[in-house]
Amino acid sequence: MPGARNAENAEEAVAQFKRRTGGRPMDLITSDEHRPYKEAILQAYGVAATTTPSGLPVRAPRKEAPPSLCYAAVHKVRRLGQVVEVVIRLVFGTAAGLAAALLGSAVSRAVNVSLLERQHLTDRHRNARKRRKTYCFSKDWESHEAATYFTLYSYNFCWPVRTLRERSADGPLRGRTPAMAAGLTDHVWSLAEWLRFPVIKLE
C-alpha cells in the first residue's frame, strides 16, 4: 500500500487505491506495520456486520472483513537501528487464502513490501522534495502534488528502465519504460510529447 502518515491519510490512500483498481478486491493486500491501515482497509473493503461474534444482533453499524479479504502486514523487529527479524502478521483472511494468493503471484512467493520500497526509493531519487535530511521541501500541498505527478508520470512513460529491456525480433535489445511493460504504450515518450498530451480529451 502507498505510504500514509496518519489515520486520515491512510484512509484516503486506501480509498484512492480502491478507485484506481476499479473497486475489485485484491487477492492479497500487503503493507508495513503502520496501524491505521487495518481500519482503513476494513472501511474500504469491509461489509456491514449483522451480528456480533457471539451471534447477537449488532446495535451500532460497523463493518467486518469478508472471507475473501486477505491482508498481511510486514513487521520489522529492530535492535540498535538494525533489522534483526521480519515477522509476517495475517490481519484479515485465512492461512489457506494467503498461501493461494502467494502461489498465484507472478512477482513473489513471500509476503513483503520490497516492490513498494523500491518505488519509494525511485520516487525520492527523482523528487528531491521527498528525500531524507534535505533542505528541499514543498511550501504548499499543491506544489508537492504537482511535483509528484510530474516525476512519477515522466518516469513511467519517458524513462527506459535497464531491467525492463527486451530483445527485439531483429536481435538488438529494445529499451522499455514501465508504461510499455504494462501495455499502456508502444514507445518511449519524449518529455515534450508527455507535456503536450491532453489530460482531458474534449469531445
Side-chain angles (χ1 to χ4, degrees):
M1 295 299 302
R5 291 176 297 174
N6 53 42
E8 183 178 347
N9 287 349
E11 187 172 338
E12 173 57 29
V14 175
Q16 186 179 98
F17 175 80
K18 183 179 180 180
R19 289 195 300 271
R20 291 185 175 185
T21 54
R24 70 182 191 278
M26 300 293 100
D27 293 334
L28 173 62
I29 299 175
T30 61
S31 76
D32 58 20
E33 65 268 33
H34 192 46
R35 291 184 178 180
Y37 279 135
K38 177 180 178 180
E39 183 60 28
I41 291 173
L42 186 62
Q43 289 302 314
Y45 293 98
V47 296
T50 56
T51 60
T52 64
S54 60
L56 298 175
V58 295
R59 294 184 177 181
R62 66 179 182 86
K63 288 189 175 182
E64 62 183 8
S68 59
L69 181 60
C70 190
Y71 165 50
V74 177
H75 173 65
K76 296 181 180 179
V77 181
R78 292 179 172 86
R79 292 176 186 166
L80 300 177
Q82 300 293 323
V83 177
V84 296
E85 185 182 5
V86 177
V87 180
I88 306 302
R89 296 176 176 171
L90 184 59
V91 183
F92 298 131
T94 63
L98 175 60
L102 292 174
L103 186 62
S105 173
V107 295
S108 179
R109 290 292 181 265
V111 175
N112 63 76
V113 290
S114 60
L115 298 179
L116 183 59
E117 289 175 347
R118 173 65 257 185
Q119 175 58 45
H120 287 169
L121 181 59
T122 298
D123 194 18
R124 288 195 297 270
H125 177 70
R126 297 177 62 85
N127 190 347
R129 300 163 185 257
K130 298 183 180 181
R131 293 176 186 168
R132 295 168 178 155
K133 298 181 180 180
T134 178
Y135 285 116
C136 302
F137 61 92
S138 300
K139 293 184 178 180
D140 57 75
W141 174 250
E142 287 76 15
S143 296
H144 188 82
E145 187 176 32
T148 297
Y149 275 111
F150 177 79
T151 55
L152 288 180
Y153 276 84
S154 61
Y155 169 77
N156 283 312
F157 283 85
C158 307
W159 188 266
V161 179
R162 179 179 57 84
T163 54
L164 294 179
R165 293 181 300 176
E166 66 176 3
R167 194 165 298 280
S168 58
D170 54 354
L173 288 173
R174 170 175 175 257
R176 292 195 304 167
T177 63
M180 292 172 66
L184 299 177
T185 183
D186 59 357
H187 67 283
V188 179
W189 289 34
S190 67
L191 191 58
E193 180 184 9
W194 180 76
L195 290 173
R196 289 196 297 262
F197 188 81
V199 177
I200 300 176
K201 293 185 177 181
L202 301 177
E203 295 294 338

